[in-house]
Amino acid sequence: MPGMTLPALPEEFQRVLCVVAHPDDMEYGLSSAVARWTANGIEVGYLLLTRGEAGMPNPPEETARLRLAEQQAACAAVGVEQLTVLDHPDGVLVYGLDLRRDICREIRRFKPDVVLGSNFDVDTPHGFEQADHRAAGLATLDAIRDAGNRWIFPEQVDEDLEPHSPRWYLVPGFGGPTHGVDVSGEPLRRGVASLEAHAAYLAAIPGHPAPADFIPAIAAMGGQAMGVEHAVLFRARDLHARPEF
Ligand SMILES: [Zn+2]
């Protein structure tokens, strides 16, 4: 065989819910995949667990307003119309039932077939994972199971939010990707534009490289793994598959 290439994620889905801790978490590469999906008629919603108020030197309330406005522009750049933002505390997000309950509610409301979450591993190739990202990723993983069980957070079912079991769980694929999404061309350009939409946030980070300089470089590495020009890689689990023994 002429080298192993990662398979494309089968695009047999209609609705994707992306759950992240902060404004901008989707825009460091993942939003290029979102741009491809929305261009193909797939509906994508974002659930942000915090308003990102601790992410800039400005006073928190001012930062929250500014970052939400930039997030809305980032969503528009990749065709995302459903943006839900919760007000869990930025920087000190706690893994626990509060977080699981809130994510579960959004899964039952939006009814995605795919949930895209944060990395929950401590170690990554680019350093130790940030605390909020780990909490968000683990709570999302658990909330997917919660959402399918009517006896967990049953008060939501009483509010007419029926149990719902998404099929796929995706997390960013560094350290063991299983699938890729080809984002060559227009999806990558829109992904770059979505990070550029966080202009004030990026301007407040000394020495931050221009999105057009580094987002394509990361996607090019992903592309090599998949045998295309640019790709976003995921660790993907089919939660409806029979367990293999
Ligand atoms: Zn973040």
Side-chain angles (χ1 to χ4, degrees), residues 21-25 130 133:
H22 309 123
D24 88 4
D25 284 351
Q130 198 261 356
H133 299 169

Side-chain angles (χ1 to χ4, degrees), residues 50-158:
T50 81
R51 301 176 302 153
E53 70 274 11
M56 292 173 70
N58 313 41
E61 278 309 310
E62 183 187 322
T63 295
R65 276 195 302 278
L66 192 143
R67 297 193 73 188
L68 289 190
E70 294 191 338
Q71 184 65 56
Q72 280 161 350
C75 286
V78 295
V80 171
E81 291 169 5
Q82 293 262 351
L83 170 63
T84 303
V85 183
L86 305 181
D87 57 358
H88 288 275
D90 181 18
V92 287
L93 199 58
V94 176
Y95 169 86
L97 291 181
D98 284 348
L99 217 47
R100 279 169 58 178
R101 183 183 295 110
D102 284 351
I103 299 167
C104 175
R105 180 182 292 110
E106 187 69 5
I107 292 171
R108 286 171 172 171
R109 195 188 67 77
F110 190 72
K111 302 198 182 310
D113 8 71
V114 175
V115 174
L116 194 170
S118 297
N119 172 57
F120 43 81
D121 295 332
V122 172
D123 214 352
T124 81
H126 55 257
F128 293 129
E129 187 58 278
Q130 198 261 356
D132 289 357
H133 299 169
R134 299 196 314 265
L138 200 55
T140 304
L141 175 61
D142 293 343
I144 292 172
R145 279 219 178 92
D146 298 338
N149 184 336
R150 69 171 52 250
W151 306 118
I152 296 179
F153 308 131
E155 72 279 7
Q156 296 175 358
V157 179
D158 293 341

Side-chain angles (χ1 to χ4, degrees), residues 173-195:
F174 38 79
T178 60
H179 294 77
V181 174
D182 182 352
V183 298
S184 307
E186 185 63 14
L188 180 69
R189 277 190 288 279
R190 293 172 66 192
V192 168
S194 75
L195 183 56

